[in-house]
Amino acid sequence: MKNLLLFILFASSSNIIKAQDTLTMRSGENVIVKIIEVGSNEVKYKKIDNLNGPIFSNLKSDLILIRYENGSKDDFSSIQIESSKFDENQFEQGYNDATKYYKSYKLAGTAVFITSAIPLYGWIMGVSPALLLSSTSPLDENLDYPDLNLMKNEQYARGYKTQAKNIKRKKIIRNYISGLATCAALTGLMISALSQ
């Protein structure tokens, strides 16, 4: 009698476990869920341990397979993941926009030029600001970006900030070299004037 009860309990519990939908993720993880909706781009579901809880969703491109409780399957393994191409395009757009819009490097560049153009001591006085300012990223308020919504995209912002830092560094190095040339010229004029 006990064996019969255990067999009935085991058989009914295995049917309950089998009567669920399973998501197989690209990461290899299997998640037991109750599918609510399979849309054109995403799959909505509830977690099996909380059927009265919130509805979750995953992109079809994040899934390999859905195995339904009735035994049927939906295979998504052929869906290409295009997010990396989109991220690359956003990075490139941010990089190109910085080339067009970023102009706030002028104050830093001018400061480096003035300190490095001081006769006799410019090469010493200009090197510290040049090194410090060329190694730091521009402040967010000085980025001159065209649209705040674009900067909310992580890849766009990374591309924009990368190019803005490159532009700032190049401008500071050019101004330091120009300041040194001015320093040398002014020092030469001062020495020739004093020697007469």
Side-chain angles (χ1 to χ4, degrees):
M1 184 72 171
K2 276 185 176 180
N3 291 339
L4 181 62
L5 282 173
L6 285 173
F7 178 73
I8 293 171
L9 182 63
F10 178 73
S12 63
S13 67
S14 67
N15 285 338
I16 291 171
I17 291 171
K18 280 190 347 189
Q20 307 305 322
D21 304 322
T22 304
L23 298 177
T24 302
M25 312 298 254
R26 288 196 186 266
S27 64
E29 177 185 12
N30 287 321
V31 183
I32 299 174
V33 298
K34 178 65 180 162
I35 300 292
I36 306 295
E37 177 186 342
V38 178
S40 59
N41 292 323
E42 65 182 5
V43 175
K44 294 183 180 180
Y45 61 91
K46 288 192 173 198
K47 292 188 176 177
I48 199 66
D49 58 353
N50 191 8
L51 291 176
N52 294 326
I55 296 175
F56 296 90
S57 66
N58 271 67
L59 294 174
K60 284 183 176 180
S61 60
D62 293 338
L63 303 173
I64 292 176
L65 181 74
I66 298 176
R67 193 179 318 266
Y68 296 101
E69 64 183 308
N70 64 5
S72 63
K73 302 175 188 174
D74 279 338
D75 186 359
F76 303 111
S77 60
S78 62
I79 295 176
Q80 298 293 324
I81 302 172
E82 296 186 20
S83 63
S84 62
K85 185 176 182 183
F86 176 75
D87 288 346
E88 185 178 305
N89 290 342
Q90 289 295 305
F91 180 88
E92 189 175 319
Q93 181 185 356
Y95 195 89
N96 293 335
D97 281 355
T99 304
K100 280 192 266 185
Y101 298 109
Y102 177 63
K103 305 289 183 229
S104 291
Y105 54 80
K106 293 178 180 176
L107 180 63
T110 304
V112 169
F113 176 78
I114 290 172
T115 56
S116 60
I118 298 172
L120 299 173
Y121 301 106
W123 64 277
I124 295 172
M125 296 180 72
V127 74
S128 294
L131 289 174
L132 180 67
L133 292 172
S134 66
S135 64
T136 59
S137 297
L139 298 174
D140 284 347
E141 58 266 15
N142 295 336
L143 286 175
D144 307 325
Y145 46 83
D147 185 3
L148 178 61
N149 290 326
L150 287 172
M151 289 301 281
K152 290 179 182 176
N153 179 292
E154 182 181 335
Q155 293 301 318
Y156 177 90
R158 194 164 63 90
Y160 194 98
K161 289 177 181 180
T162 298
Q163 179 62 351
K165 185 174 181 178
N166 291 340
I167 291 169
K168 179 181 173 186
R169 181 182 302 125
K170 287 176 187 174
K171 182 65 174 176
I172 288 172
I173 290 170
R174 270 188 298 222
N175 282 10
Y176 178 67
I177 292 170
S178 298
L180 290 179
T182 305
C183 172
L186 290 175
T187 302
L189 289 172
M190 284 178 57
I191 290 173
S192 67
L194 290 174
S195 65
Q196 290 177 356

